[in-house]
Amino acid sequence: MSEERQKAAQAEVQKLLDAGVIREVQYPEWLANVVMVPMKNGKWQMCIDFTILNKACPKDEYPLPRIDTLVDAAACSEMLSMLDCFSGYHQIFMIKADEEKTSFTTPFGTYCYVRMPEGLRNAGCTFNRMIKKVLGDQLGRNISAYVDDVVVRSKKKEDHIQDLRETFANLRRHGLKLNPKKCVFGV
């Protein structure tokens, strides 16, 4: 890695360590490489290449919702709010026995995920299954959800605040956090 990429990777690793998303590991059986990807804003994004691990994992056949069905469900709503789960996958803890399978190497250490990383074969299905448990009573009634994106939809404008309250109460009860920078209310 170039010095610029190393600094960006080191900053990302430190951020993940500080947040309790990863931990240092020694002698893992599985090991993935870090790939630094340029973003449109000129910064670097750290991605982990889980290709080999993903090939070894069975595919979770849990169905993701059809996007066209979700769009159609929102069409008859007078008011919508779009919610984005903050670092969505990182809100799910890994099973202790599987943590070291997510090990990755950097020029300054080897780490594994304590919380679910992006890039795992079944991460989307796992998160979607969790959302169904957290918001199950609301799904189809006043919520549409696709992985970590949630749309609160109200048939009548005057019901929207109550629909949001119900959603926030469910999210709070299960400890899920939202990213306020990516949420849009009252559309």
Side-chain angles (χ1 to χ4, degrees), residues 65 69-74 77 79-83 85 128 131-155 160 162-171 176 178:
T69 305
L70 298 178
V71 170
D72 289 347
S77 302
M79 183 82 58
L80 303 170
S81 289
M82 281 71 80
L83 311 177
C85 292
N128 212 55
I131 286 291
K132 185 169 179 131
K133 287 182 181 179
V134 170
L135 300 171
D137 293 345
Q138 289 184 265
L139 285 171
R141 178 171 49 88
N142 62 359
I143 290 244
S144 294
Y146 188 83
V147 189
D148 66 341
D149 294 312
V150 176
V151 177
V152 180
R153 48 189 174 80
S154 303
K155 290 181 182 175
H160 199 62
Q162 185 55 40
D163 291 338
L164 285 170
R165 281 191 180 121
E166 180 184 9
T167 304
F168 293 151
N170 282 328
L171 294 171
L176 286 179
L178 298 174

Side-chain angles (χ1 to χ4, degrees), residues 59-117:
K59 180 161 176 38
D60 183 351
E61 297 298 337
Y62 188 82
L64 292 175
R66 290 178 45 129
I67 296 290
D68 58 332
T69 305
L70 298 178
V71 170
D72 289 347
C76 60
S77 302
E78 285 185 9
M79 183 82 58
L80 303 170
S81 289
M82 281 71 80
L83 311 177
D84 183 79
C85 292
F86 184 76
S87 297
Y89 296 161
H90 294 337
Q91 296 191 51
I92 298 177
F93 282 92
M94 295 288 298
I95 294 172
K96 191 78 173 152
D98 290 340
E99 286 178 5
E100 291 193 12
K101 292 175 183 163
T102 65
S103 295
F104 62 95
T105 186
T106 68
F108 35 88
T110 303
Y111 306 89
C112 71
Y113 280 87
V114 176
R115 295 174 181 240
M116 190 170 66

Side-chain angles (χ1 to χ4, degrees), residues 4 41-42 53 62 93 99 125 157 169 175 179 185:
E4 178 187 8
N41 63 7
L53 177 61
Y62 188 82
F93 282 92
E99 286 178 5
C125 293
K157 283 182 185 179
N179 183 353
F185 297 96

